[in-house]
Amino acid sequence: MKNPNLTTENFSSANRNYFIDFKRAINNSHYICITRSDKLLDGGYRRSNVVVFEEDFHFLVSAFSSLFHAAAHSHLEGTEYCDSQKIGSQKGIKGIKTWAPDMRPREKFIAHGTDALSDAELMAILIGSGRPNQSAVALCEAILKAVGGRLDLLAAQGHKSLSRFKGIGLAKSSAILAALELGRRMCAVD
């Protein structure tokens, strides 16, 4: 039996149709199926799918958050879009203080709470600053990318491993590792 859609969204652009389905799997877990359907010249369709499982939803949300964050700041460069890793290293981007107040991690945290921030933005609050040509958020995005977005793998890193990122020294690596250790201890109490 086909897995039922719990909800669906779709949109079309030119000869392409996109379907985003939220489904329940046989084992009662959930997943998102994104389907692109291209109309071919012969009248047929070519379909391609991407499936994201429930345990990876937070990675998908974080990736979209970073993507939209980078796109929101691309106007500083006069380009239509820019890669999220490049957002903090583009000329003309001086740092988070030049961003619109509602986009700055600390201000978002105060106004909307932790749920409004990506992991990179939370880490950026911890380290306080980036480098002359890279914002704290972009620096933290690079660190998270190196560990596949997994905080458990980040917590297993040492000072030397984190210090390989330009802009991360003993003080900033200590802040990151100390915060992760506090989180581990909090979970151990439960």
Side-chain angles (χ1 to χ4, degrees):
M1 181 173 157
K2 190 174 178 182
N3 295 343
N5 286 347
L6 299 175
T7 188
T8 189
E9 292 290 334
N10 63 71
F11 61 93
S12 298
S13 175
N15 289 329
R16 295 179 302 274
N17 297 301
Y18 295 88
F19 303 91
I20 305 169
D21 301 317
F22 182 66
K23 298 183 172 211
R24 179 176 291 124
I26 294 171
N27 66 359
N28 280 331
S29 67
H30 297 95
Y31 65 96
I32 294 172
C33 180
I34 303 169
T35 303
R36 175 178 165 173
S37 180
D38 295 295
K39 187 171 185 179
L40 303 175
L41 293 175
D42 66 5
Y45 288 89
R46 179 181 59 227
R47 289 185 175 85
S48 53
N49 295 320
V50 174
V51 174
V52 180
F53 295 99
E54 186 173 20
E55 62 267 16
D56 296 327
F57 284 177
H58 64 284
F59 292 125
L60 179 68
V61 171
S62 181
F64 273 119
S65 174
S66 295
L67 176 73
F68 293 135
H69 178 81
H73 288 89
S74 67
H75 71 279
L76 296 172
E77 280 301 300
T79 57
E80 189 173 345
Y81 296 102
C82 64
D83 185 314
S84 66
Q85 279 194 308
K86 295 179 184 174
I87 185 73
S89 60
Q90 297 292 325
K91 291 180 182 172
I93 297 177
K94 302 294 183 201
I96 290 173
K97 290 181 181 178
T98 64
W99 296 2
D102 61 332
M103 294 301 293
R104 297 176 194 163
R106 188 173 298 125
E107 286 79 354
K108 281 174 63 175
F109 176 74
I110 293 167
H112 306 290
T114 57
D115 290 342
L117 279 76
S118 68
D119 291 345
E121 290 171 318
L122 289 168
M123 284 176 55
I125 291 172
L126 288 172
I127 67 170
S129 64
R131 303 181 318 127
N133 294 322
Q134 187 178 37
S135 72
V137 173
L139 179 55
C140 292
E141 286 172 346
I143 293 168
L144 286 167
K145 184 176 181 180
V147 294
R150 292 184 50 191
L151 294 177
D152 61 323
L153 294 180
L154 179 60
Q157 304 298 307
H159 293 285
K160 185 175 181 179
S161 178
L162 290 175
S163 294
R164 77 176 197 258
F165 294 92
K166 290 183 181 179
I168 299 291
L170 288 176
K172 291 179 181 179
S173 65
S174 293
I176 293 168
L177 295 173
L180 292 165
E181 176 60 19
L182 283 171
R184 186 195 66 77
R185 290 181 184 184
M186 184 181 74
C187 290
V189 171
D190 294 339

